Amino acid sequence: MATKFWQGDAVAVAQVDTLTVGGTVEIGDLFNTVINGKQIQVAATSTSTTTTASEIKTALAASTIQEFQEVTWTQAGAVVTGTAVTAGKPFTVTVTTTEAGGGAADAQTYVRAASVANAGPNDWSSVNNWSDAIVPVSTDSVYIDHGSDILYGLDQSAV
């Protein structure tokens, strides 16, 4: 059992996720991107993974949904990259793909990968916020002074 003190000293790092279109894309295949339960769906207009990724990036970047506006969207080849606009403020994105009629995907894929994890002075999971540079576990005693702002990574039900 260790005693840990919250310091909030971590440097803010912008989260980066990649969304990769792959496999065999058919015209009409649906690519779904979800943040906070809000979805943007793009129907492929081409069999090209690069063209489909470009269509997805365009739709995400043009969205008026706040959660999507908090991410900068870029595209290179078949990969769409999302970078947090505000370093240290995380986002959670999930992706799925289905057939035009909503059935299970056949040969197309749409995969999310974390490239750079969020970190910052308001994130419980940032090791540099803790006095011993180790995130607390269930056997630790944690002390948080008044005025500390822990805004992210608060689901510590296992601790």
Side-chain angles (χ1 to χ4, degrees):
M1 180 163 142
T3 299
K4 299 181 180 277
F5 296 90
W6 172 264
Q7 296 176 315
D9 293 335
V11 173
V13 175
Q15 175 181 336
V16 179
D17 283 8
T18 58
L19 316 177
T20 304
V21 177
T24 304
V25 175
E26 299 167 316
I27 293 173
D29 284 345
L30 300 174
F31 294 83
N32 308 298
T33 309
V34 179
I35 299 178
N36 256 3
K38 296 171 182 148
Q39 174 178 285
I40 293 179
Q41 185 175 75
V42 173
T45 63
S46 164
T47 59
S48 164
T49 56
T50 298
T51 300
T52 302
S54 176
E55 293 169 340
I56 293 168
K57 178 262 178 190
T58 299
L60 299 178
S63 175
T64 58
I65 299 170
Q66 179 181 346
E67 287 85 347
F68 288 91
Q69 292 178 338
E70 293 175 354
V71 179
T72 299
W73 302 100
T74 59
Q75 178 254 335
V79 178
V80 176
T81 300
T83 304
V85 170
T86 304
K89 184 175 183 182
F91 61 92
T92 301
V93 62
T94 58
V95 297
T96 59
T97 182
T98 61
E99 293 302 297
D106 53 16
Q108 80 274 15
T109 59
Y110 189 34
V111 179
R112 177 210 155 261
S115 296
V116 177
N118 179 74
N122 304 111
D123 193 322
W124 177 280
S125 302
S126 295
V127 297
N128 290 331
N129 286 329
W130 297 101
S131 55
D132 62 355
I134 300 171
V135 175
V137 296
S138 60
T139 57
D140 293 334
S141 294
V142 173
Y143 293 91
I144 301 169
D145 292 332
H146 295 289
S148 296
D149 293 325
I150 304 173
L151 304 174
Y152 312 112
L154 292 173
D155 180 10
Q156 298 301 316
S157 57
V159 177

